[in-house]
Amino acid sequence: MPPTDSAMSTERFEQLLDSIPSLKVMTISPHLEAQQRYQRMEALLKRGILPALGHDRVATETEILGALSLSPSRSLHITHLFNVCSFHHRSLGLANFGLVEQFPRLPQYEGLRPPTVELVGDLAHVHPMVVAAVLRARSFQNICFVTDSVLEPIPGARVKYMGRQLQVSGDGRTLSLVGEETLAGSCCSMLDTLHSLVHTLAVPVGEAVAMLSENPARIAGLGHIGTVEVGKRADLLLLDQELKLQRTIVAGKTEFENEQ
């Protein structure tokens, strides 16, 4: 992986944020933030950037609650639920916080909002049984799906990244480090995820589409996309009754059309 600076000072962090004015969401570790008194999270919130808690297997309940307490009026988010985070039935981790629509009536949770969640939708990063559990536990309005896609779904294809060799799985769904089982990305499309939600997990089409478009745009604060409305950018997929792609429209321009 590329070099990182997890102990970046608040001053340097703010300089980084100010150099990326288009930034809407940033994944950040509540465990590391607790050590910095959440100063970098406060810098994100001050600029209207949504902190997404994630990539943190060791965050404690207290550290996560400390992060959530910074934003009582707006739900925070969880990046890639279940991937690089922990779940336990007594010692709570990030995954536990992603499974509740309403917190228990206990003093430590008073006034806090459960975070919205995001899952990789290839049904490999998260098993279909677990995805089904999330869909039953949370309102569809608080769930997003992403592809985490980094390469075409060509079985056996390889790519070099930061000195490491990555290879597409035999079924073309995921990317792993060569010689290891460590997942390094997905090869699925958003349309693949739609098919999985509707056909495998029996999600109504309207709810599935919301979790792929409307919800991510709303949560990220992208008001110009996500729904079909006058004045919004016309990024559209036209599907037939079997959910097969017939036309792709980007910013109002047809970029693909199925001529069969």
Side-chain angles (χ1 to χ4, degrees):
M1 297 297 291
T4 60
D5 184 3
S6 60
M8 181 183 294
S9 69
T10 302
E11 181 180 3
R12 285 189 59 207
F13 186 72
E14 290 183 328
Q15 292 173 352
L16 173 65
L17 298 183
D18 291 338
S19 71
I20 318 173
S22 61
L23 185 61
K24 297 294 185 181
V25 182
M26 177 180 279
T27 300
I28 198 161
S29 159
H31 174 69
L32 293 178
E33 277 306 287
Q35 299 174 22
Q36 298 282 339
R37 302 190 303 279
Y38 303 101
Q39 292 177 345
R40 292 173 296 194
M41 282 189 63
E42 290 178 339
L44 291 172
L45 291 165
K46 179 181 178 181
R47 290 162 174 78
I49 302 168
L50 176 64
L53 310 180
H55 291 197
D56 190 338
R57 290 191 178 98
V58 298
T60 66
E61 178 184 11
T62 299
E63 291 168 342
I64 298 167
L65 290 174
L68 296 178
S69 69
L70 298 175
S71 183
S73 62
R74 181 188 183 187
S75 294
L76 299 186
H77 192 59
I78 294 181
T79 297
H80 294 185
L81 184 64
F82 296 110
N83 298 123
V84 201
C85 64
S86 61
F87 175 91
H88 193 272
H89 60 289
R90 287 194 304 272
S91 181
L92 304 187
L94 268 180
N96 295 79
F97 281 81
L99 286 174
V100 293
E101 194 64 23
Q102 182 177 341
F103 284 138
R105 293 179 179 177
L106 294 172
Q108 64 266 39
Y109 299 105
E110 186 175 353
L112 301 183
R113 299 164 64 99
T116 55
V117 299
E118 159 196 313
L119 296 100
V120 179
D122 57 12
L123 301 189
H125 277 74
V126 184
H127 193 281
M129 282 283 285
V130 180
V131 177
V134 176
L135 292 170
R136 301 303 182 271
R138 300 299 306 266
S139 164
F140 77 91
Q141 295 175 317
N142 292 322
I143 301 173
C144 303
F145 282 88
V146 296
T147 65
D148 201 36
S149 183
V150 293
L151 202 64
E152 292 179 287
I154 303 173
R158 292 194 178 195
V159 64
K160 189 175 183 179
Y161 176 72
M162 296 301 298
R164 289 180 162 185
Q165 286 288 336
L166 310 179
Q167 186 170 17
V168 178
S169 60
D171 60 9
R173 289 197 300 166
T174 60
L175 198 67
S176 300
L177 299 178
V178 171
E180 300 182 26
E181 295 183 358
T182 304
L183 291 175
S186 173
C187 300
C188 78
S189 68
M190 200 62 87
L191 184 57
D192 294 328
T193 300
L194 176 64
H195 291 164
S196 294
L197 288 172
V198 174
H199 298 313
T200 303
L201 295 163
V203 177
V205 172
E207 294 183 8
V209 169
M211 290 187 283
L212 303 182
S213 58
E214 180 180 354
N215 297 353
R218 184 190 75 250
I219 290 168
L222 300 173
H224 64 294
I225 59 174
T227 56
V228 182
E229 297 181 51
V230 174
K232 292 196 174 184
R233 195 171 73 192
D235 294 342
L236 305 168
L237 296 183
L238 303 185
L239 312 174
D240 63 16
Q241 290 184 333
E242 297 178 350
L243 300 183
K244 294 180 180 179
L245 182 62
Q246 301 301 307
R247 184 182 300 179
T248 301
I249 300 173
V250 179
K253 181 181 178 182
T254 296
E255 298 291 350
F256 166 82
E257 188 162 8
N258 187 353
E259 298 179 352
Q260 294 183 352

